[in-house]
């Protein structure tokens, strides 16, 4: 079972690496769209607060 899991992981990584340009382009497009929606609806403060909350949670988890 471990071999099968490792093979799936390796194949997934190879597929992502072979299409890295497309992945980066799609990610950038999604981020631009999300930022535009946040700007239009005034959600940036709540988005920043949510991000700070998770950074705080993970930060305290490492202490």
């Amino acid at each position: 079972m471990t071999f099968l899991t490792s093979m799936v992981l390796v194949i997934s990584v190879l597929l992502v690496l072979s299409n890295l340009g497309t992945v980066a382009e799609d990610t950038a497009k999604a981020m631009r769209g999300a930022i535009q929606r946040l700007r239009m609806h005034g959600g940036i403060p709540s988005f920043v607060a949510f991000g700070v909350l998770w950074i705080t949670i993970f930060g305290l988890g490492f202490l």
Side-chain angles (χ1 to χ4, degrees):
M1 191 62 140
T2 303
F3 177 74
L4 180 62
T5 305
S6 298
M7 288 306 298
V8 168
L9 178 64
V10 168
I11 290 170
S12 297
V13 168
L14 289 175
L15 284 172
V16 168
L17 289 177
S18 68
N19 293 313
L20 199 56
T22 305
V23 171
E25 184 180 321
D26 289 345
T27 302
K29 188 186 299 183
M31 291 300 291
R32 281 192 301 268
I35 290 171
Q36 285 177 344
R37 284 191 302 277
L38 283 172
R39 284 183 182 164
M40 284 179 27
H41 299 294
I44 289 179
S46 64
F47 182 74
V48 170
F50 184 73
V52 170
L53 172 68
W54 277 106
I55 290 170
T56 304
I57 289 170
F58 284 118
L60 290 174
F62 286 118
L63 293 178

